[in-house]
Amino acid sequence: MTDTAPLYSPATVRALLERHRLRADKAFGQNFLIDGNVLRNIVAAAEVQDTDTVFEVGPGLGVLTRELAEQAGRVVSVELDARLLPVLRETTADYPNVALSEGDALDYDLTSLPPQSLFVANLPYNVATPLVVRALESLRFRRLVFLVQKEVAERLSASPATPSYGALSLVVQHFARVRVVQHVGPNAFFPAPDITSSVVRLDVNPDAEPDPATFRLIRDAFRHRRKTLKKNLTMAGYDATRVTEVLEGLELDPKIRAEALGLEHFRRLGRALA
């Protein structure tokens, strides 16, 4: 593509969509990034090297794809909306290191990627959470940098005893150190969404492994947020007497709620209950 305007300019985005007789589809959670500063901040936060393989979900028109391809050894982009593939082939034609794939990223075989890959994406809002958790559990990535709703970013980075803290916070923080890089207003996208977004960076702990037993305990503990930890666990099938004994042994108030406990508390609780 040889347009003089950058691909992320609103005029170029509109022209691309019109030429291909397309428009953003809410069903796919499509909001195309049109802010060059945000785009560069995402790539900078990912610290892409020329030896890296980058996995991108929902490349859309290829705005972020091309920026990544300028620095990465290889970019693997998975797009669910087949209508956008002709646009992507056009916008990435000058980048032989870009591999386009049609399909659902939730079904993509992440083990086909080399270890220590990067995950960088403007994530579709409707599937952002399961995509991030799946990527972390795959143990294929050393760093994830992505755009999500501000509320999701707050849940990912939340601390105990805060309103946004929950099972998602704990599972993600089991794997990685979470940092919110910046908040992004609606005008950075076309069409403009009704929400504020955030750029999030996850630096994965190289020693982290999936811990299904602890994750199950965490999800059971947060099943009914207004109930006590003990009540949630007994409702989930744990023996009430044993739960009381374990809470006493860990010097925890029997009326404590799950949101008061940190990750290490849950690990100790899981070991004791086991």
Side-chain angles (χ1 to χ4, degrees):
M1 185 173 175
T2 57
D3 293 335
T4 54
L7 183 56
Y8 52 79
S9 87
T12 305
V13 169
R14 288 191 182 92
L16 265 174
L17 291 172
E18 288 174 5
R19 187 163 69 254
H20 289 270
R21 299 180 180 180
L22 296 172
R23 61 180 179 180
D25 192 329
K26 286 186 178 180
F28 290 104
Q30 290 171 347
N31 298 95
F32 305 120
L33 186 61
I34 56 172
D35 188 311
N37 289 327
V38 175
L39 186 66
R40 286 184 285 273
N41 287 345
I42 293 171
V43 178
E47 298 182 24
V48 183
Q49 305 296 317
D50 59 10
T51 55
D52 284 326
T53 293
V54 180
F55 183 68
E56 182 192 18
V57 176
L61 304 178
V63 177
L64 178 57
T65 316
R66 299 198 331 173
E67 293 292 321
L68 293 169
E70 290 283 351
Q71 298 188 38
R74 183 169 178 250
V75 180
V76 177
S77 295
V78 180
E79 176 57 60
L80 180 60
D81 188 354
R83 304 173 310 146
L84 294 178
L85 291 178
V87 185
L88 283 164
R89 284 192 282 267
E90 175 185 328
T91 58
T92 63
D94 294 333
Y95 297 92
N97 59 335
V98 173
L100 300 175
S101 176
E102 178 193 350
D104 190 337
L106 286 169
D107 297 326
Y108 191 87
D109 180 12
L110 297 177
T111 63
S112 66
L113 302 169
Q116 298 296 299
S117 292
L118 300 177
F119 179 110
V120 186
N122 174 16
L123 288 175
Y125 292 148
N126 50 354
V127 291
T129 297
L131 280 170
V132 169
V133 172
R134 184 170 185 264
L136 289 170
E137 290 181 337
S138 75
L139 305 180
R140 232 44 190 178
F141 304 99
R142 75 175 187 275
R143 187 176 304 116
L144 292 79
V145 178
F146 47 84
L147 266 164
V148 287
Q149 291 172 267
K150 182 182 177 184
E151 290 77 9
V152 174
E154 290 171 343
R155 288 168 61 202
L156 295 174
S157 59
S159 301
T162 60
S164 298
Y165 187 68
L168 177 64
S169 318
L170 284 154
V171 171
V172 170
Q173 291 169 29
H174 166 86
F175 287 104
R177 185 173 71 256
V178 184
R179 177 165 68 89
V180 176
V181 176
Q182 71 174 115
H183 299 303
V184 181
N187 291 336
F189 302 91
F190 178 83
D194 298 326
I195 57 169
T196 297
S197 303
S198 299
V199 179
V200 178
R201 169 171 165 159
L202 306 183
D203 289 290
V204 179
N205 175 1
D207 298 322
E209 294 281 348
D211 187 350
T214 301
F215 297 166
R216 184 167 54 252
L217 173 66
I218 288 168
R219 292 184 177 111
D220 287 339
F222 281 91
R223 189 81 61 185
H224 304 282
R225 195 173 183 92
R226 296 172 66 88
K227 295 187 184 298
T228 65
L229 173 64
K230 178 183 175 181
K231 183 67 173 177
N232 273 327
L233 293 183
T234 54
M235 289 175 66
Y238 293 84
D239 179 77
T241 302
R242 181 63 183 147
V243 171
T244 300
E245 292 172 352
V246 168
L247 291 176
E248 289 176 353
L250 296 176
E251 298 182 345
L252 294 174
D253 188 328
K255 295 183 180 180
I256 200 166
R257 288 187 170 139
E259 58 261 35
L261 302 185
L263 183 57
E264 189 52 39
H265 278 119
F266 276 103
R267 288 172 176 156
R268 291 167 59 201
L269 183 63
R271 288 194 294 269
L273 286 171

